[in-house]
């Protein structure tokens, strides 16, 4: 699909829409300008795209029919789940000449939970099922679906898998990939690939499933999945603590891992400037905030006595108060108290947005180098961008921080807006230097140039070849993840890097 | 690489060996007939292949040089770790006309442990490091590398990853794939692909790593890896129990999962005929064997009181004695006792071999269907192969059984030998019917025909296309995993299906 063939006459437009309606039913081909506009805006409301129509198929066969039709008619297709991608992975490229020929394929009608096998510990779902409903269904069956992140009330399973979403429980349960045993995928040529395995050991051939997971709709459209359920913990102990200094996080984390092993189910690091907007908005911190704080969960199973657990935790932490690792800590033993502590963490993005926003970097660095990375980056900020206010928080346990950077009050809350690209570059260069990832849990989406600037050309070459195997014409989510075809139109104004 | 160009004159042979010696040093090009013969025999000693030479490179660059040379000289390359593949994945195809042009690439010299990052919980190793040494190094650093299987004293990390090995701890820690964060791979064209990530969140592009893991050396040669270490448990409680009946295993497993969550680190099912040869060889069972037995581990962390743990386990199991789920149980609370119980399980393969051997099927079926699969298969055995003695054991927790089938004493211990292919087919057909895998943890290796008979042709087509991307000339491990090129020579006598 080349940008040279992307014009479309009004006559062609009407004919294509009629042919799509013949296939899906007119109700499922949405041409209402308002609805198209809403679905063409990314979740961070930064890039307004356009599209020919929204399609809402009801079956994998209809998805297949759409892809065959798109291929024949020189249309491109953007698969869209809950449209919660923060990197433009599910919305059209603004101003792209391809937009007149873009179909947004929404999976929302294919949202059934098809079954739970309690003995196998698996749930079979359609791709449009909303994550929160899947979590609830698992709990009702006495099991846990552990993938959990802010957008879970809107995000769909298909999108979660396409983006290989992360979240707060990765330290214990891994990314979306690890919690999925099988998928059904419609290929660009309309063939349906059945990889709906529900076994935990399967070495019968290459691992195709994990190639589609994390490919953000560029290699195929995920239409069904077999999810791996975990044992449901009986409860959790949640701790909000202030650290003596940044480096203390290492000792605290290794102590907890050693002490509690798989009970450590979340471990978040929060810097003071990230928490301050939450406090300013009226929330009360349970302890005096220090420069660096942590929030962590220790889960326990049915067999355990929560009080004995809490007691042993207090014993394990007490030397850390003595040696200055910890300054203060609040321990929540009821779920209500735990939720109150988590609210402080969960409200950071909203409070920060209200207070002027910031430059967002979704990066990871090996845990063992994370403190050095923060220190070195902060030094560069002081000399190269003294206006900058780091508002760091995120998943220390996974080495994944939301390395978000606002501007100091003196410079005005929106000062950062003129410096986004240069700051992204500075941060990404440091990430690469420390062996980290410039797209840790949110995906690549429109950040193609970031990958082109930071990745080994050999890896990019192989990615393009793989895209060529699965979608030779480039009809799936063009201009996302990796440039394919080579001449795919890129919005020069897209400052995602 | 086509079989038509596989003849080799003595003059050519000597020239090629000389050129290889020039590149690697004569000491690392082994042409001794005895050594070649040993390295060309698969670990089950069933298929004696041949090769031109064994090569022992010392660096990834030398591996790259070998692959470039092989490509130019129309040679093929079989990467070999500890040569413990049970499916012919690391040895030449007997009688293949390619053998005169086959180089066996041994990674044994590249066996260093390059470093441990205790805070990150990772270990960087060369591919030739032996698994047991890696486990020991992790323990010395206070961590656990959880992949564990019978051949661990010989198996190398590269082979473990190439085969995506399983073992006894998959129920808790997953396959080899899950315990590896990054790899270095030498591609067929001699380029070195650096995927040596050591972060747990990385969505910067397609998941190339997991394509190489499990590809059994057909897509590239793994030369280094970053391994993910887990928290080291403080100890374990091991239970050997007899079940009231086969179906009781489901209730026991779900009870334990619910009770202990991630503490359940191993769960094996053992049928009486699998244990009998071990008893006959002089081992004592701690309880009266029943038709179906289980052996499981519950691990505990530092924070826990082992005695309180054991007590709560006794409480949790006691209703299962009352309702007939369990007939009897022996609980080991010391490591010595635990090891004695595990010896019973570990000696099954050796004892069975000594008592006449059997037909081996490495299969998995979703746990929720595993009992029905066993029951239905046993019914078919009674009518279709009344001579057959099922000697089943394996990893129930993963739905993965060593569905091994000997012959009843009346028919003589080796009676099964004449019926291998037909019994493989019967079992594999049932596995497919129950949604399982015909190559669960040992890999595909030479079982190409099994995949061709049981897999969706679309999946096979995609596998071939992927092989074409990474190794267009087909110089890597030809005739293994998937037929590529199409005309690759297959030994018609290879009854691996």
């Amino acid at each position: 699909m080349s940008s040279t063939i992307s014009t479309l006459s009004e006559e062609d437009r009407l004919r294509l829409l009629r042919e799509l309606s013949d296939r899906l039913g007119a109700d499922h081909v949405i041409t209402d300008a308002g609805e198209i506009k809403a679905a063409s805006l990314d979740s961070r409301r930064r890039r307004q795209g356009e599209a020919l129509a929204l399609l809402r198929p009801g079956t994998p066969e209809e998805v297949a029919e759409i892809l065959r039709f798109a291929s024949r008619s020189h249309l491109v297709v953007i698969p869209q789940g809950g449209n919660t991608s923060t990197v433009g992975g599910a919305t059209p490229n603004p101003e792209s000449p391809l937009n007149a020929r873009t179909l947004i394929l929404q999976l929302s009608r294919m949202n059934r939970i098809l079954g739970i096998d309690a003995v196998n510990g698996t749930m079979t779902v359609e791709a449009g099922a909303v994550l929160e409903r899947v979590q609830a269904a698992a709990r009702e069956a006495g099991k846990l679906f552990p993938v959990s992140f802010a957008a879970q009330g809107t995000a769909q399973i298909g999108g979660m898998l396409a983006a290989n979403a992360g979240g707060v429980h990765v330290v214990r349960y891994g990314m979306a990939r690890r919690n999925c045993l099988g998928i059904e995928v419609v290929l660009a040529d309309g063939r349906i690939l059945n990889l709906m395995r529900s076994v935990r050991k399967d070495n019968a051939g290459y691992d195709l499933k994990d190639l589609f997971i994390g490919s953000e709709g560029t290699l195929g459209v995920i239409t069904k999945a077999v999810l791996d359920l975990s044992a449901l913990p009986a409860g959790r102990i949640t701790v909000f603590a202030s650290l003596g200094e940044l480096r203390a996080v290492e000792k605290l984390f290794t102590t907890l891992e050693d002490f509690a092993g798989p009970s450590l189910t979340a471990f978040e690091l929060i810097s003071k400037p990230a928490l301050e907007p939450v406090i300013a908005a009226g929330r009360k911190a349970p302890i005096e905030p220090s420069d660096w704080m942590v929030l962590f969960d220790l889960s326990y199973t049915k067999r355990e006595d929560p009080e004995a657990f809490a007691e042993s935790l207090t014993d394990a932490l007490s030397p850390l108060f003595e040696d200055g690792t910890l300054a203060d800590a609040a321990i929540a033993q009821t779920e209500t108290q735990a939720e109150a502590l988590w609210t402080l963490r969960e409200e950071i993005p909203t409070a920060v947005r209200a207070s002027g926003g910031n430059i967002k970097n979704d990066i990871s660095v090996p845990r063992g180098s994370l403190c050095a990375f923060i220190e070195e980056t902060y030094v560069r900020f002081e000399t190269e961008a003294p206006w900058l206010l780091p508002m760091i928080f995120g998943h220390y346990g996974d080495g994944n921080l939301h390395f978000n950077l606002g501007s100091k009050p003196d410079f005005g809350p929106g000062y950062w807006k003129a410096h986004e690209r240069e700051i992204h570059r500075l941060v990404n260069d440091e990430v690469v230097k420390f062996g980290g990832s410039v797209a840790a849990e949110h995906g690549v989406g429109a950040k193609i140039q970031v990958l082109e600037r930071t990745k080994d050309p050999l890896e990019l070459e192989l990615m393009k070849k793989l895209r060529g195997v699965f979608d030779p014409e480039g009809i799936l989510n063009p201009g996302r993840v990796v440039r394919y075809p080579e001449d795919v139109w890129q919005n020069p104004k897209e400052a995602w890097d």
Side-chain angles (χ1 to χ4, degrees), chain A:
Chain A
M1 181 65 45
S2 156
S3 55
T4 55
I5 52 154
S6 50
T7 53
L8 194 66
S9 70
E10 181 62 10
E11 189 188 335
D12 280 348
R13 195 180 76 86
L14 293 172
R15 179 185 51 79
L16 289 167
L17 292 172
R18 206 166 45 239
E19 291 190 47
L20 283 163
S21 293
D22 289 347
R23 284 167 172 81
L24 295 183
D27 286 356
H28 307 309
V29 179
I30 287 82
T31 56
D32 175 79
E35 286 200 66
I36 291 179
K37 197 174 171 192
S40 304
L41 180 64
D42 74 288
S43 73
R44 289 178 60 203
R45 303 175 167 275
R46 289 162 62 97
R47 302 285 181 268
Q48 179 64 61
E50 295 168 281
L52 169 61
L54 315 183
L55 307 181
R56 295 186 186 141
T59 63
E61 290 72 24
E62 286 185 354
V63 173
E65 180 62 29
I66 291 168
L67 291 176
R68 281 192 297 267
F69 179 80
S71 178
R72 273 201 306 278
S73 310
H74 304 293
L75 303 177
V76 302
V77 175
I78 299 178
Q80 188 178 82
N83 190 13
T84 64
S85 170
T86 63
V87 289
T91 41
N93 204 330
E95 297 169 39
S96 163
L98 288 174
N99 285 348
R101 294 183 165 275
T102 291
L103 301 169
I104 296 180
L105 195 163
Q106 296 184 317
L107 281 296
S108 48
R109 281 177 66 216
M110 297 165 62
N111 61 4
R112 286 176 302 168
I113 291 174
L114 299 170
I116 292 181
D117 179 339
V119 175
N120 198 40
T122 47
M123 186 191 299
T124 306
V125 298
E126 291 183 326
V130 168
L131 172 55
E132 207 164 67
R133 202 158 64 83
V134 166
Q135 293 167 339
R139 261 195 311 275
E140 273 164 42
K143 306 292 284 180
L144 174 74
F145 184 67
V147 181
S148 174
F149 50 84
Q152 63 196 25
T154 314
Q156 298 171 8
I157 293 300
M160 174 197 83
L161 291 171
N164 187 29
V168 292
H169 296 145
V170 173
V171 66
R172 161 71 180 91
Y173 298 99
M175 308 281 282
R177 169 173 289 127
R178 190 191 285 180
N179 298 282
C180 174
L181 297 176
I183 51 175
E184 178 187 78
V185 188
V186 182
L187 300 180
D189 63 12
R191 291 189 292 177
I192 300 176
L193 178 64
N194 180 351
L195 303 173
M196 290 289 279
R197 316 279 155 72
S198 52
V199 287
R200 289 172 184 79
K201 275 182 174 166
D202 179 22
N203 279 338
Y206 301 151
D207 182 13
L208 299 178
K209 175 195 63 139
D210 287 321
L211 204 49
F212 292 105
I213 294 178
S215 71
E216 301 180 49
T218 62
L219 300 181
V221 181
I222 295 172
T223 45
K224 280 197 199 104
V226 180
L227 304 177
D228 194 4
L229 306 179
S230 291
L232 184 65
R236 61 174 167 174
I237 296 173
T238 299
V239 179
F240 190 98
S242 50
L243 299 171
E245 53 164 348
L246 172 60
R247 289 271 177 175
V249 70
E250 295 185 354
K251 181 158 186 191
L252 175 62
F253 184 83
T254 50
T255 302
L256 286 171
E257 238 195 350
D258 198 33
F259 164 73
S263 291
L264 185 62
T265 44
F267 189 100
E268 303 280 303
L269 180 69
I270 302 169
S271 72
K272 197 181 203 173
L275 189 67
E276 272 166 349
V278 178
I279 309 290
R283 293 279 171 194
K284 245 182 97 80
I287 53 170
E288 187 62 35
S290 64
D291 284 351
W292 294 96
M293 293 155 282
V294 292
L295 174 66
F296 57 87
D297 278 351
L298 296 168
S299 298
Y300 49 86
T301 57
K302 264 191 186 171
R303 71 178 168 82
E304 297 178 85
D305 173 17
E307 281 176 32
F309 190 169
E311 232 169 81
S312 68
L313 174 64
T314 311
D315 291 349
L317 295 182
S318 90
L320 302 185
F321 285 103
E322 281 158 35
D323 71 10
T325 301
L326 289 175
D328 201 356
I331 302 188
Q333 281 176 259
T334 69
E335 191 49 30
T336 312
Q337 290 171 343
E339 277 166 20
L341 294 182
W342 273 96
T343 299
L344 293 169
R345 157 70 179 81
E346 283 156 6
E347 289 186 352
I348 292 173
T350 318
V352 165
R353 203 175 308 129
S355 77
N358 54 28
I359 303 169
K360 297 193 191 309
N361 298 287
D362 165 46
I363 57 97
S364 67
V365 165
R367 255 185 342 239
S369 311
L370 200 56
C371 292
F373 163 80
I374 293 173
E375 287 161 358
E376 180 166 312
T377 315
Y378 275 34
V379 168
R380 285 193 62 183
F381 291 160
E382 271 167 39
T383 54
E384 296 174 43
W387 52 268
L388 189 150
L389 176 70
M391 306 169 91
I392 315 301
F393 70 100
H395 321 294
Y396 175 82
D398 321 320
N400 169 215
L401 295 180
H402 300 304
F403 207 76
N404 296 347
L405 308 164
S407 26
K408 288 181 182 159
D410 292 356
F411 293 82
Y415 188 87
W416 56 270
K417 283 179 188 161
H419 302 274
E420 225 171 341
R421 182 166 293 203
E422 74 202 50
I423 297 299
H424 279 312
R425 287 195 176 216
L426 186 160
V427 171
N428 288 337
D429 286 347
E430 290 292 321
V431 167
V432 170
K433 186 178 152 191
F434 281 92
S437 171
V438 297
E441 67 167 1
H442 295 166
V444 177
K447 291 160 61 178
I448 285 195
Q449 293 97 325
V450 183
L451 254 54
E452 288 177 348
R453 218 171 60 76
T454 55
K455 246 195 192 328
D456 180 353
L458 175 55
E459 195 176 341
L460 283 174
E461 178 193 317
L462 292 172
M463 284 171 59
K464 285 177 195 178
K465 282 188 177 163
L466 292 177
R467 194 155 177 172
V469 165
F470 290 97
D471 179 21
E473 296 173 79
I475 67 168
L476 282 170
N477 218 1
R480 299 304 184 228
V481 187
V482 70
R483 199 181 297 269
Y484 181 90
E486 284 295 339
D487 67 348
V488 71
W489 187 87
Q490 281 288 298
N491 188 339
K493 290 185 227 153
E494 281 201 317
W496 297 90
D497 59 340

